[in-house]
Amino acid sequence: MAAAAMALGGARTCSRLARAAAARGGLLLRPRLGGGGGGGRAAAAAAGSRPAPGGEVQYCAELLRKRDYEGFLCSLLLPAESRTSAFALRAFNVELAQIKDSITQKGTGLMRVQFWRNAVEDIYCDKPPHQPVAIELWKAVKRHNLTKMWIMKIIDEREKNLDDRAYSNIQELETYAENTQSALLYLTLEMLGVRDIHADHAASHIGKAQGIVTCLRATPYHITRRKVFLPMDICMLARSLSKKVPVKAYPAFFCTVALEDYLCNIRKVDFNIFHPSLQKKSTLLPLYLYIRSWKKTY
């Protein structure tokens, strides 16, 4: 009974987060789209669909809610002037991330990655392709003067990852995480108007920690593909940096709440990364995020 009540409380908190964000920033989310099969066909259809005029924000938000739920929740907590841009950036990351799992031949993946490389080039020439994520990313670039280098690093690193080979050492995994997860955080800091060396330092460590934890969480799925997953001894290094990070940067780092929740849960099951409980969505995560947001800390 207590567990059910806690789960219900988490669901209600998620709903409150969405309503509060919508009220502050004018973002209205449609009901969640239905599930269903289709795998790669569904992903391809989603990538090629065109929403109604002005529906690009909604498209990005729904893509995040389905494919990057934690990123969706964290984006809701950003200031209104940064929120839709964060949706666009993370939706862009989702589009790239799902390429690997939706192809059977590397050549197909390379073509899709090249589409996004060309799209970013066009975005910075004020000629975005007629694709909802690309259109919203263009708006974000214009709104916040986002650094092109970080966006390109995400594309380049995702392309390298199509080789589907195991990381040979922790340094390789850290490099991958730095050029994907940390790059996303650097861009999020730019959206918040934060350009601070201490915030960048924290973003680097947090991004690496997130990359390592993501590998651990995905192990049950990827183990059949003979992937190698590495220790997480770096995962808690960023906490000691928080005293030097400007408060304005804190919303960019709310992803640490999800990392901390996972690390806490994995300790409870004696570090068994295959334990079924670790594959379930955390119903209390919205509550933890709300509390951390209210306390103005990460």
Side-chain angles (χ1 to χ4, degrees):
M1 181 71 71
M6 292 174 70
L8 179 59
R12 287 174 174 169
T13 303
C14 181
S15 178
R16 291 192 192 102
L17 281 175
R19 289 198 300 270
R24 290 197 303 268
L27 174 63
L28 297 177
L29 296 177
R30 300 189 188 103
R32 180 179 295 189
L33 299 178
R41 293 193 302 274
S49 63
R50 294 187 182 181
E56 291 86 2
V57 174
Q58 181 66 49
Y59 180 95
C60 292
E62 289 291 350
L63 180 60
L64 273 191
R65 181 147 55 180
K66 291 188 292 183
R67 302 289 186 181
D68 181 11
Y69 182 65
E70 292 172 2
F72 171 72
L73 292 179
C74 291
S75 296
L76 285 176
L77 293 172
L78 294 178
E81 62 272 16
S82 305
R83 193 176 309 127
T84 56
S85 296
F87 283 152
L89 178 64
R90 289 192 170 273
F92 162 73
N93 184 59
V94 167
E95 291 278 9
L96 286 169
Q98 64 186 10
I99 290 175
K100 185 175 180 178
D101 291 333
S102 64
I103 60 171
T104 56
Q105 295 181 336
K106 182 181 176 181
T108 304
L110 290 173
M111 285 189 291
R112 293 180 62 181
V113 170
Q114 188 60 42
F115 165 80
W116 284 107
R117 183 174 285 108
N118 293 341
V120 171
E121 293 290 352
D122 290 341
I123 282 170
Y124 278 86
C125 292
D126 285 333
K127 299 183 296 184
H130 293 290
Q131 200 274 358
V133 175
I135 291 172
E136 281 303 303
L137 185 60
W138 168 66
K139 293 177 183 177
V141 167
K142 296 286 287 183
R143 189 179 297 128
H144 306 286
N145 193 27
L146 299 180
T147 301
K148 181 181 178 182
M149 175 186 69
W150 295 122
I151 298 178
M152 284 303 193
K153 277 186 177 291
I154 296 172
I155 296 174
D156 292 341
E157 204 64 36
R158 292 293 187 184
E159 182 178 64
K160 292 176 186 176
N161 200 238
L162 291 177
D163 288 334
D164 204 24
R165 67 178 182 84
Y167 301 108
S168 60
N169 51 53
I170 189 68
Q171 286 74 30
E172 280 195 4
L173 177 54
E174 286 185 18
T175 298
Y176 174 77
E178 169 73 21
N179 291 330
T180 52
Q181 301 297 341
S182 296
L184 286 173
L185 293 178
Y186 297 145
L187 291 163
T188 304
L189 288 173
E190 291 184 348
M191 292 174 185
L192 293 171
V194 175
R195 296 184 186 266
D196 178 87
I197 188 171
H198 300 298
D200 289 346
H201 193 192
S204 177
H205 281 297
I206 291 171
K208 290 173 183 176
Q210 191 166 14
I212 293 171
V213 169
T214 298
C215 282
L216 289 171
R217 296 174 73 175
T219 296
Y221 168 72
H222 284 137
I223 196 66
T224 58
R225 305 172 70 183
R226 300 181 181 181
K227 297 286 287 184
V228 174
F229 297 93
L230 301 164
M232 56 181 179
D233 52 348
I234 195 175
C235 290
M236 301 306 292
L237 289 181
R239 187 67 66 188
S240 61
L241 302 172
S242 61
K243 293 181 180 179
K244 297 182 179 180
V245 174
V247 175
K248 188 178 180 181
Y250 284 11
F253 302 145
F254 284 147
C255 57
T256 58
V257 179
L259 301 183
E260 191 173 50
D261 183 51
Y262 178 79
L263 293 175
C264 179
N265 290 334
I266 201 173
R267 283 195 292 270
K268 290 178 181 178
V269 295
D270 197 24
F271 297 93
N272 176 13
I273 59 176
F274 299 100
H275 196 280
S277 66
L278 298 176
Q279 304 305 313
K280 298 177 181 178
K281 185 181 293 185
S282 174
T283 55
L284 292 179
L285 180 59
L287 177 61
Y288 298 152
L289 280 166
Y290 184 82
I291 292 172
R292 203 67 63 89
S293 173
W294 176 68
K295 290 184 175 180
K296 292 183 170 58
T297 185
Y298 72 88

